[in-house]
Amino acid sequence: MNTVNVKAEHDYSVFIGCEWSSTLVNKLSGRTRVALVVSSSFVPDLSSIKAIDADVHVFEVPDGEDAKSQATLMALWNWLGAAGFTRSDLIVGIGGGAVTDLSGFAAATWLRGIDWIAVPTSLAGMVDAAVGGKTGINSDYGKNLIGSFHSPQSVLIDLNFLKTLSERDFCAGMAEVIKCGFIDDHEILNLASSLDRNNLLSDFLLLEDLITRAVAVKAKVVSADFKESFAREALNYGHTLGHAVEIYAKYQLRHGEAVSIGMVFVAELAHSRGLISTEVLQQHRDLLSKFDLPISYDRQAWQKLAPLLALDKKARGNTLRFVALQGIGATVRLEDLSSDELDAAYERISS
Ligand SMILES: NC(=O)c1ccc[n+]([C@@H]2O[C@H](COP(=O)([O-])OP(=O)(O)OC[C@H]3O[C@@H](n4cnc5c(N)ncnc54)[C@H](O)[C@@H]3O)[C@@H](O)[C@H]2O)c1
């Protein structure tokens, strides 16, 4: 098992390669009430948790983004109220990023903040959503618009969860892993290259190393910049066009799939500015397509995507801001791009 420590409003640890239920049981001693929040479509074996000497409640929420609705949050608040949850009680979110985002936000808001533990079960949840303290739900006006920074007490990563995860969700999570490789840790790219594409789970030690390194990249950035000023922007590599593609595609693409397209786009921008070599640009395409991640997008979509770029959280006033690479492991802000440069980069990723 590997441990990565995160500095935030309180320090906490991410345990990678643990057995989640026994680790969780150990962390529950002394709690009077525990809420286990799970998706109704993925309920792991909770028997050992239910057997502890505490009042354990299981709250099932709808799957995917439906978990992050105001209605689900309201239901969760009501359940917590009905079960008499106090300041010293605990919420545990066990699921993909949607479940941990909702659970963390319920914990942030119930009684102005109670403790929570994240047990991410998807690869995207393990390397991204459950680490960093961002919690939240969606608004009718967009994803993640209602939220809070509220770090968990710990994050428990059990690789066995990956055995039931769909290949599409595994590969979508790999986009965030690869992103961490490009922005900070070259070795992640080597490890991702050596993963057996025909048997993704064949080498758990390699996977544990890969996930630990990706978590360490996120932990390092978050620890330096918990509330997202400049340093944390590095984690948004590929996300500027990625978010626009998600909106354009009406969230039918996985987040990682949209980020994959966004990374190739910004790599094209960086390449045209001479910031990265042709080899690094090609490395984006090779590695992302190894995991069946999209590396091109519909040429006709650009007319609609270009205005959507301005909605990105990194945009300031009328200035678009991209996180780009200046070689592997070094990020730089690109703010002075002309529309000709943007058009030309999109043309090169068009299909
Ligand atoms: N808080 C953050 O910093 C942060 C960062 C990135 C993403 N997110 C959020 O995370 C969410 C995306 O997370 P996601 O990709 O995990 O999606 P998700 O939570 O919707 O899970 C994807 C699907 O996988 C299923 N699933 C999860 N684990 C499984 C397992 N072990 N076996 C079988 N099925 C399993 C889920 O039930 C769901 O159907 C989005 O809402 C996104 O906004 C948050």
Side-chain angles (χ1 to χ4, degrees):
M1 186 181 75
N2 296 325
T3 305
V4 173
N5 298 315
V6 187
K7 287 193 184 311
E9 76 278 34
H10 59 259
D11 297 356
Y12 60 96
S13 297
V14 183
F15 301 99
I16 303 119
C18 65
E19 198 288 306
W20 77 274
S21 56
S22 55
T23 312
L24 182 60
V25 165
N26 285 334
K27 294 194 174 296
L28 297 181
S29 72
R31 299 283 179 177
T32 307
R33 284 172 210 83
V34 177
L36 306 177
V37 182
V38 292
S39 155
S40 49
S41 80
F42 181 67
V43 186
D45 178 9
L46 302 172
S47 50
S48 60
I49 321 288
K50 286 181 184 165
I52 66 168
D53 184 20
D55 198 2
V56 178
H57 299 260
V58 179
F59 295 140
E60 280 190 27
V61 297
D63 197 39
E65 292 304 302
D66 289 343
K68 290 172 63 174
S69 71
Q70 292 167 50
T72 306
L73 177 66
M74 187 72 80
L76 184 45
W77 280 333
N78 284 334
W79 282 328
L80 294 170
F85 268 64
T86 68
R87 276 256 166 92
S88 57
D89 296 326
L90 178 92
I91 296 178
V92 185
I94 309 165
V99 169
T100 53
D101 271 12
L102 168 79
S103 307
F105 190 57
T109 46
W110 185 251
L111 302 178
R112 297 189 185 81
I114 67 170
D115 290 348
W116 74 291
I117 289 177
V119 183
T121 62
S122 66
L123 183 56
M126 294 173 185
V127 299
D128 196 7
V131 180
K134 280 194 196 175
T135 70
I137 62 164
N138 302 326
S139 129
D140 293 344
Y141 294 90
K143 269 189 74 178
N144 300 323
L145 292 183
I146 305 163
S148 169
F149 288 96
H150 187 61
S151 297
Q153 295 301 307
S154 359
V155 181
L156 313 183
I157 297 183
D158 186 333
L159 272 63
N160 285 302
F161 280 125
L162 298 175
K163 290 177 181 166
T164 50
L165 190 68
S166 71
E167 187 164 301
R168 184 176 178 190
D169 281 303
F170 183 97
C171 289
M174 278 306 295
E176 295 289 348
V177 172
I178 291 167
K179 176 198 79 180
C180 290
F182 279 120
I183 64 170
D184 195 68
D185 181 357
H186 193 275
E187 183 57 17
I188 288 179
L189 305 177
N190 296 335
L191 292 171
S193 302
S194 57
L195 256 190
D196 181 353
R197 182 63 189 83
N198 297 318
N199 190 357
L200 290 164
L201 305 183
S202 62
D203 188 343
F204 256 43
L205 278 180
L206 189 152
L207 265 184
E208 191 174 314
D209 194 9
L210 197 55
I211 293 171
T212 302
R213 282 175 174 276
V215 169
V217 171
K218 180 143 192 195
K220 182 169 102 176
V221 176
V222 165
S223 298
D225 179 18
F226 177 48
K227 290 218 169 165
E228 199 166 38
S229 45
F230 176 60
R232 197 160 167 160
E233 276 187 11
L235 296 170
N236 281 324
Y237 184 57
H239 284 57
T240 307
L241 182 67
H243 283 144
V245 168
E246 278 190 292
I247 296 169
Y248 176 83
K250 300 196 166 55
Y251 297 101
Q252 294 309 302
L253 286 179
R254 298 287 196 274
H255 177 68
E257 293 167 349
V259 168
S260 172
I261 297 165
M263 283 193 277
V264 182
F265 176 70
V266 80
E268 284 285 0
L269 286 172
H271 181 249
S272 68
R273 288 272 178 118
L275 295 169
I276 61 169
S277 64
T278 307
E279 289 70 36
V280 172
L281 174 61
Q282 189 56 37
Q283 198 176 3
H284 281 72
R285 290 200 161 90
D286 292 346
L287 206 44
L288 294 166
S289 46
K290 170 176 175 175
F291 296 96
D292 298 332
L293 289 161
I295 54 171
S296 63
Y297 203 58
D298 180 11
R299 179 169 282 108
Q300 310 306 326
W302 181 234
Q303 263 190 322
K304 297 246 169 64
L305 288 173
L308 288 173
L309 293 176
L311 299 178
D312 184 67
K313 275 182 284 183
K314 293 183 298 308
R316 298 287 180 274
N318 291 325
T319 310
L320 288 181
R321 196 193 275 179
F322 288 86
V323 175
L325 294 186
Q326 200 167 23
I328 293 176
T331 53
V332 63
R333 255 185 203 172
L334 285 185
E335 289 180 303
D336 56 345
L337 291 150
S338 67
S339 45
D340 283 353
E341 283 177 287
L342 295 169
D343 292 350
Y346 192 79
E347 178 56 30
R348 287 193 290 276
I349 68 153
S350 290
S351 53

